[in-house]
Amino acid sequence: DGGITQSPKYLFRKEGQNVTLSCEQNLNHDAMYWYRQDPGQGLRLIYYSQIVNDFQKGDIAEGYSVSREKKESFPLTVTSAQKNPTAFYLCASSPGGGFTEAFFGQGTRLTVV
Amino acid sequence: AQKITQTQPGMFVQEKEAVTLDCTYDTSDPSYGLFWYKQPSSGEMIFLIYQGSYDQQNATEGRYSLNFQKARKSANLVISASQLGDSAMYFCAMRELIKAAGNKLTFGGGTRVLVKP
């Protein structure tokens, strides 16, 4: 089945460590997105990519990094520079251009211990 | 400035009644799309309905309809005949097509709906 797979579902990080969240899609979508969601809050855009080897900062990019070496993959690294990384992270994808909806993964819940 | 504003943090609605969730947006782009998503407690994001800025008619999808008032820049979601399974967070989102926006998809802060039996 086509869809977006995020892994792991739960992730624990020690302070000062970098961690990488995986996002893979087999929908052949050009655009991919990473969002952060804090409890009871909306989704805030971290990074997005419209095409392979290109990505743009969203509203809260500080302390995060991404790569887009393959169309189907858009991993997010939460670096030690991110001071409050505990949150729910959602990855999404959509066809490039036009106004079709974005499809979301199941999310990764990151906790700093 | 907020691109998408949802002013209702939470709402109660009686089962079988209709509920309207407010959404206002801010854009100078004449070409944009508006979306509503549902997020149950499981965390998944479920697409509900879409409205394009050039669409003449309000969008409808089953029990969901979108009250689009372009001049007021509002795109309210109406859920008719509420069911217990409608209890969730609801998010309004916008995608602008201007080059600078780069297909960016922006969300509002959400409205939590609790349906009472």
Side-chain angles (χ1 to χ4, degrees), chain A residues 109, chain B residues 39-44 87-89 112:
Chain A
R109 194 166 298 279
Chain B
Q39 187 182 43
S41 57
S42 59
E44 63 187 305
S87 295
M89 283 285 285
R112 182 172 297 281

Side-chain angles (χ1 to χ4, degrees), chain A residues 31 33 35 37 41-43 45 48 50 59 88 90 94-95 97-102 104 106, chain B residues 31-33 35 37 39 43-45 47 50 89 91 95 97 101-105 107-109:
Chain A
Y33 308 83
Y35 294 92
Q37 186 179 28
Q41 304 297 313
L43 279 67
L45 184 62
Y48 61 110
Q50 292 191 87
D59 300 316
F88 186 53
L90 284 159
S94 70
F99 289 120
T100 53
E101 72 271 22
F104 283 81
Q106 296 295 309
Chain B
S31 186
Y32 53 90
F35 305 82
Y37 284 84
Q39 187 182 43
E44 63 187 305
M45 295 289 286
F47 167 72
Y50 158 78
M89 283 285 285
F91 293 100
R95 176 180 287 132
L97 259 196
N103 210 29
K104 185 176 175 181
L105 182 62
F107 282 79

